[in-house]
Amino acid sequence: MKRSNSHRHGQWHRRLLVAALLGSALLLSETLIAKAAEQVVLRVGDQKGGNRSLLEISGLADNLPYRIEWSEFPAAAPILEALNAGALDVGYTGDLSFLTVYAGGAPIKAIGGTRSDAKTQAILVRQDSPIKSAGDLKGKRLAGTRGGWGQFLIDATLEKAGYKLDDATFAPLGPVDAKVALLAGSVDAWAVWEPYVSYAVLKDKARVIADGDGLTPTITFIVASEAAIVAKRAAVQDFVNRLNKARLWSLDHIAEYARNTAELTKRPEDVVQSAYQAQHTSPIAIDDGVVNEVQAASDRATRYGILTKHLEVSRAVDRSFTAAIGSN
């Protein structure tokens, strides 16, 4: 029996309908995938003249496969607080400040970072101070950040000089207040890092009487929330890779990098360039060497009372994000 024209027309119509539906489904799928990619937002904590400007000036902020939502903070401590509260995905902070917050139960991990020359952590005195070396710090009032590099360097320097920690008075002050106190004479010395060291030496004629060489790792960690490590892993990995490449770029373009940072932060360009040259900040792999080095600093910080309990640094880090660096 021959099929009628109406039957053939019905089949043809159904095929068109199926094709149209498949085409619509494919278009919808592609749209949803694209939309899902657009919805990956990495919330990053930064300081003025920090990682954002580094990525932008190096050209590594271009063609991101996700969107970065930058938040600017005046210091590392509030970045860590925001990470702990779940308001940020990624931040950047000194090793001991990270460990202090981690010890309090914050759901965060160190996933990458940089190392600077340990001599760029220093104890400064006024130009007219009678203090000539660490041996003169007994009985003096020493300013520095509590729970971070400042307090650690003061304690480690006193110990190295053969003193007990209570042989000097610790004044817990942030960099801005500590500088004012030093210049006013209300503290005798100030433990701090770059670019504050270069500024104090070049502009305020301060003198360095001790530094962190042999005492501190001087590692700054890229820190991520555990939630972001799971939910936004690809974006976090890409961000770490770009930061590492940008750091290497900066070592070959110090003058350009310093000029850009000076414009953003309104700091003198000679100060910034001096700081960058002294620091020689380079990306690190979180490997056995770094873990062991930070573990030794952590144990010392626990002994000093800076950390409230013993920490297993290996549990505070995620090595997978920098594994490729370690294998090179």
Side-chain angles (χ1 to χ4, degrees):
M1 181 182 294
K2 292 183 178 179
R3 297 185 180 182
S4 65
N5 287 337
S6 62
H7 181 76
R8 286 196 297 272
H9 180 74
Q11 280 188 325
W12 178 75
H13 181 73
R14 281 194 297 274
R15 285 173 184 168
L16 282 178
L17 182 60
V18 169
L21 288 172
L22 285 173
S24 298
L26 183 60
L27 181 61
L28 178 61
S29 176
E30 290 175 346
T31 301
L32 288 174
I33 290 171
K35 190 173 181 181
E38 289 173 1
Q39 288 175 342
V40 175
V41 178
L42 205 59
R43 301 168 301 166
V44 181
D46 196 27
Q47 298 181 56
K48 182 172 286 188
N51 287 329
R52 181 176 186 174
S53 63
L54 175 59
L55 286 177
E56 289 176 351
I57 192 173
S58 64
L60 287 157
D62 300 334
N63 303 316
L64 291 169
Y66 49 89
R67 183 166 64 85
I68 297 180
E69 185 179 278
W70 295 97
S71 296
E72 190 175 292
F73 294 83
I79 291 177
L80 285 164
E81 291 171 9
L83 280 165
N84 187 25
L88 290 177
D89 298 315
V90 181
Y92 197 63
T93 182
D95 44 20
L96 288 178
S97 295
F98 159 70
L99 291 176
T100 299
V101 175
Y102 176 82
I108 55 178
K109 298 270 185 168
I111 60 170
T114 58
R115 180 193 299 279
S116 298
D117 190 314
K119 291 180 180 179
T120 58
Q121 287 187 41
I123 296 180
L124 305 169
V125 298
R126 293 182 306 279
Q127 185 180 34
D128 60 352
S129 172
I131 299 172
K132 303 300 181 185
S133 70
D136 300 324
L137 294 177
K138 185 176 182 179
K140 300 299 189 290
R141 184 172 171 81
L142 314 178
T145 51
R146 184 186 294 281
W149 284 347
Q151 185 177 5
F152 184 90
L153 182 58
I154 287 169
D155 291 348
T157 301
L158 288 171
E159 185 176 59
K160 183 180 178 182
Y163 296 131
K164 295 181 293 184
L165 302 190
D166 59 4
D167 279 339
T169 301
F170 174 59
L173 296 172
V176 175
D177 292 334
K179 175 183 175 178
V180 172
L182 180 70
L183 296 179
S186 55
V187 298
D188 300 295
W190 172 29
V192 74
W193 51 89
E194 292 288 7
Y196 298 103
V197 173
S198 286
Y199 195 106
V201 171
L202 292 175
K203 306 301 180 182
D204 300 321
K205 307 305 178 185
R207 290 187 290 107
V208 174
I209 56 100
D211 60 47
D213 191 28
L215 299 177
T216 170
T218 317
I219 287 172
T220 304
F221 280 129
I222 303 168
V223 181
S225 70
E226 292 180 352
I229 289 173
V230 173
K232 302 179 182 180
R233 184 175 184 88
V236 173
Q237 179 69 75
D238 182 82
F239 182 72
V240 171
N241 292 345
R242 286 171 186 263
L243 274 183
N244 288 341
K245 290 176 182 177
R247 285 290 167 193
L248 292 175
W249 174 92
S250 72
L251 293 176
D252 293 325
H253 301 82
I254 286 179
E256 182 182 352
Y257 181 32
R259 190 178 311 114
N260 181 72
T261 303
E263 290 173 359
L264 289 170
T265 61
K266 307 307 179 187
R267 290 192 180 112
E269 188 175 328
D270 60 337
V271 167
V272 179
Q273 184 159 334
S274 172
Y276 286 168
Q277 287 173 333
Q279 286 174 304
H280 196 76
T281 302
S282 307
I284 58 168
I286 299 185
D287 54 17
D288 286 345
V290 166
V291 170
N292 292 339
E293 193 175 0
V294 176
Q295 183 67 63
S298 175
D299 292 343
R300 179 179 272 193
T302 303
R303 180 160 52 82
Y304 293 159
I306 295 172
L307 296 177
T308 57
K309 61 182 179 181
H310 172 77
L311 295 177
E312 291 294 336
V313 172
S314 60
R315 296 179 182 177
V317 303
D318 185 328
R319 305 180 185 214
S320 64
F321 289 91
T322 58
I325 298 177
S327 62
N328 288 339

